[in-house]
Every structure is written in structure tokens, then in C-alpha cells.
């Protein structure tokens, strides 16, 4: 019996010692992969929530209008509000994601077993509910693309992919503006983006969507009145028909709405004398783009820089 106890003691010691070696590293003193790559890291979002994030999240729910940013970084979300993707240039790319609806169906979100939730909604009540499902961060989906993509790359553990995508996009945009300049676009030309919302409400677009594509150093410029809206750091601003001549530049882009009432308001505007007297209208520099395809997200931005030369050539 004494020999048996001695043998068992030695085996127990070897097992414990071996486990210690495995945790500390190999014979060269190098840490194991598990030790080198922490499972979580601390992160503070732009609304000052401090969250423990997975270092390399694999099951991500994304709630926001820039969902395609994830696709650009070669990461597919497991859950999204699919009604936000309807009619967009990236709708087909969302087919593998589950629909969590909006407002978010919390039971559905829970069933997807996410390891990270990214939300563009700043409602604190919903945020608290989401944090009970998985680590959740608020993400500024209205931030400029140049800021948003690297930040998302950091969150998703896709820094290299973010750098590459942004470099490729900038090269394509620069080539587009150079081509337009060579084909007759004059330096300093101004542009305005307009759209109607239900309730006969006319908006000039500022720091969102198509405007972000147009207002670039090599691109078109905002009018003084549009610049004042940009200086307010807002996505858009409601204006009246009477001030259209003050806002509209050398070229005007109309984002065609989905709502039938807003479509009628757009038609009424374009039949008005105020509209017909605008120099941009008289010069034939009016362009229409489906509002659902004019988003700020990565894939819509790629689509827009392909479409702009076609529009301006008309």
C-alpha cells in the first residue's frame, strides 16, 4: 500500500508540474497562445461606457445604419435589423444574418448568443437591456468614414483589414475626382443635396451620406449656407422652399424618398417657379439618387463613387 501511495503522489506531482509548465510557456520561455492573447480587453465607447470586450469577437450583432462597414472588414454580423438594409446596395450581403428587428427583439438577440453587440442607438434604457445579453458598446455611426472604419477595425480585431480598405477607397475616390476634373468639372464648383421627408418637410443634407462623398478637397464644395449647416456638426437641417436659392449651388442632387407623400412633395417642388428659376436647374445640373442607396456606410460609399461619374456625364 505504501508503494501505491508513493506512486500516486508522484503522478499527481507530475500532473500539477506539467500543467504549470503549460501555463507558463515552452522551454524557450515563450508564452503560449492562450497567455499571449487575452480573452478580453477594456474599452470605453464614445458615450463613456467602459466595457470588457472579447479580443476577437466572432458573433457580433450590429444595430445601425452603417452595417456594411462590417462587411467591408470581412466580418459578417450574426444579427441585424433587416428592415434597415431593405433597398440598400448591401441588402443581399445581409442574407446570412438573422433578423433581430427594430425596435430590437431582445429574445431573438439572446438566442443568437452574441459575444458583442454594437449599437448606434444612444437610448440608455435599451443599452441596459442589451448589456444583459452580451458586452455592448455604443458606436457613433454618424462619424466620418475616415474615423469610423479604423475604430471599428480596432473593435473587431480587424485593424489591418480596416487600413487596407480605407487606402483602397481613398485611391478610388481620388481617381474618380481626377477623372471628373479632366472631363470638365471646374475647380470650386458647388453642390447641394436635398430630400423631402413626410409632412412636406424639406431638408438640406450635411454631414451624412452623399454629402460626405461630395464635399472632399478634390471634389465639389458646399455653398456658404450649406457650410453653415456643416459647421453645426449635424447630419441635415430642415429648410423652407423660400430659401432654396440661398442654399442651392452649381449642382443639385435630389435624394428620392420612399414615402409616397414625400415623393409628391418632391414633385411639387420641381414644378414650382422657385425651382425652375434656379441656375442649376436651368443649366441641367440636377441629379437624382435613390435615398436608400445614398448612405454613409462603406459599401454605399463604394457604390456612390462608381455612380457619380455616370450621373455627372448625363
Amino acid at each position: 500500500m505504501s508503494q501505491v501511495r508513493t506512486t500516486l503522489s508522484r503522478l499527481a506531482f507530475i500532473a500539477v508540474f506539467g500543467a504549470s509548465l503549460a501555463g507558463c510557456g515552452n522551454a524557450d520561455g515563450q508564452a503560449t497562445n492562450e497567455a499571449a492573447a487575452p480573452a478580453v480587453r477594456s474599452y470605453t465607447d464614445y458615450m463613456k461606457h467602459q466595457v470588457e470586450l472579447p479580443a476577437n469577437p466572432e458573433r457580433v450583432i450590429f444595430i445601425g445604419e452603417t452595417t456594411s462597414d462590417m462587411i467591408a472588414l470581412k466580418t459578417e454580423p450574426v444579427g441585424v435589423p433587416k428592415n434597415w438594409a431593405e433597398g440598400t446596395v448591401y441588402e443581399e450581403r445581409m442574407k446570412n444574418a438573422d433578423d433581430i428587428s427594430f425596435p430590437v427583439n431582445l429574445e431573438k438577440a439572446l438566442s443568437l448568443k452574441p459575444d458583442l453587440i454594437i449599437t448606434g442607438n444612444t437610448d440608455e434604457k435599451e443599452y441596459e437591456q442589451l448589456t444583459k445579453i452580451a458586452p455592448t458598446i455604443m458606436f457613433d455611426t454618424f462619424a466620418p468614414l475616415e474615423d469610423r472604419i479604423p475604430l471599428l477595425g480596432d473593435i473587431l480585431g480587424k485593424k489591418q483589414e480596416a487600413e487596407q480598405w480605407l487606402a483602397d477607397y481613398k485611391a478610388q475616390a481620388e481617381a474618380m475626382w481626377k477623372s471628373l476634373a479632366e472631363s470638365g468639372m471646374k475647380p470650386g464648383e458647388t453642390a447641394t443635396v436635398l430630400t423631402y421627408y413626410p409632412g412636406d418637410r424639406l431638408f438640406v443634407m450635411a454631414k451624412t451620406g452623399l454629402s460626405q462623398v461630395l464635399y472632399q478637397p478634390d471634389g465639389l464644395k458646399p455653398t456658404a449656407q450649406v457650410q453653415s449647416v456643416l459647421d453645426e456638426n449635424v447630419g441635415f437641417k430642415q429648410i423652407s422652399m423660400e430659401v432654396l436659392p440661398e442654399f442651392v449651388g452649381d449642382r443639385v442632387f435630389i435624394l428620392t424618398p420612399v414615402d409616397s407623400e414625400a415623393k409628391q412633395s418632391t414633385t411639387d417642388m420641381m414644378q414650382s417657379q422657385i425651382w425652375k428659376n434656379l441656375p442649376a436647374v436651368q443649366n441641367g445640373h440636377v441629379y437624382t439618387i435613390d435615398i436608400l442607396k445614398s448612405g454613409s456606410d462603406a459599401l454605399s460609399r463604394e457604390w456612390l463613387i462608381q455612380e457619380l461619374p455616370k450621373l455627372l456625364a448625363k
Side-chain angles (χ1 to χ4, degrees):
M1 289 293 294
S2 175
Q3 288 179 337
V4 171
R5 284 196 296 269
T6 301
T7 300
L8 289 174
S9 298
R10 287 174 179 173
L11 289 174
F13 174 77
I14 290 170
V16 172
F17 184 65
S20 300
L21 284 176
C24 294
N26 59 24
D28 295 326
Q30 295 175 331
T32 63
N33 289 337
E34 185 177 355
V40 297
R41 64 188 177 99
S42 182
Y43 180 86
T44 303
D45 69 21
Y46 87 112
M47 295 300 287
K48 308 305 180 185
H49 303 110
Q50 189 167 350
V51 187
E52 294 298 308
L53 298 185
N56 294 290
E58 295 180 353
R59 298 186 58 79
V60 181
I61 286 177
F62 193 102
I63 307 162
E65 67 283 346
T66 58
T67 309
S68 85
D69 290 359
M70 286 189 61
I71 302 298
L73 302 186
K74 298 179 174 60
T75 302
E76 290 194 8
V78 295
V80 297
K82 283 201 172 180
N83 55 321
W84 285 14
E86 291 176 3
T88 66
V89 300
Y90 58 87
E91 181 177 7
E92 184 65 16
R93 303 288 293 274
M94 293 290 110
K95 64 181 181 181
N96 293 329
D98 278 279
D99 184 14
I100 61 168
S101 306
F102 191 83
V104 176
N105 182 325
L106 297 174
E107 290 185 6
K108 179 63 176 179
L110 178 63
S111 73
L112 296 179
K113 299 179 181 179
D115 54 14
L116 175 63
I117 299 174
I118 301 173
T119 178
N121 191 355
T122 55
D123 180 78
E124 288 291 341
K125 182 178 180 181
E126 182 185 85
Y127 175 81
E128 288 301 321
Q129 293 174 322
L130 293 173
T131 60
K132 295 174 182 178
I133 297 174
T136 304
I137 60 172
M138 286 186 182
F139 188 73
D140 184 6
T141 54
F142 287 104
L145 183 77
E146 294 77 9
D147 298 336
R148 203 174 66 238
I149 291 295
L151 184 58
L152 187 62
D154 177 45
I155 292 169
L156 297 176
K158 298 278 186 176
K159 287 186 178 181
Q160 185 175 349
E161 289 85 346
E163 291 173 2
Q164 187 62 57
W165 185 90
L166 203 53
D168 291 343
Y169 172 80
K170 287 180 178 179
Q172 292 173 43
E174 288 171 3
M176 177 198 71
W177 290 119
K178 182 179 179 181
S179 173
L180 288 172
E182 291 172 350
S183 62
M185 190 184 78
K186 300 174 183 177
E189 281 193 48
T190 56
T192 309
V193 184
L194 302 169
T195 195
Y196 263 99
Y197 278 44
D200 200 35
R201 294 177 295 158
L202 175 61
F203 287 85
V204 61
M205 311 308 286
K207 290 195 170 183
T208 185
L210 178 60
S211 299
Q212 292 182 342
V213 179
L214 298 179
Y215 303 145
Q216 297 295 324
D218 296 328
L220 296 163
K221 310 302 178 188
T223 63
Q225 289 291 347
V226 173
Q227 183 61 56
S228 69
V229 180
L230 289 166
D231 292 341
E232 295 176 26
N233 199 33
V234 295
F236 42 81
K237 184 175 184 177
Q238 186 173 355
I239 62 173
S240 66
M241 272 281 293
E242 288 70 28
V243 300
L244 262 183
E246 300 173 28
F247 278 85
V248 171
D250 300 314
R251 300 177 186 267
V252 56
F253 295 81
I254 304 296
L255 305 182
T256 54
V258 176
D259 181 84
S260 58
E261 181 187 352
K263 285 181 179 178
Q264 185 59 52
S265 295
T266 304
T267 299
D268 293 343
M269 175 187 70
M270 298 178 78
Q271 291 175 348
S272 71
Q273 200 58 47
I274 291 176
W275 177 261
K276 292 177 181 178
N277 288 338
L278 295 172
V281 176
Q282 294 177 349
N283 292 329
H285 291 165
V286 178
Y287 317 96
T288 59
I289 295 179
D290 184 344
I291 192 171
L292 296 177
K293 293 180 169 59
S294 67
S296 302
D297 62 280
L299 298 193
S300 293
R301 293 285 291 269
E302 285 184 327
W303 183 84
L304 285 169
I305 62 174
Q306 297 297 321
E307 289 298 307
L308 270 176
K310 302 174 189 177
L311 277 177
L312 297 178
K314 293 179 181 179

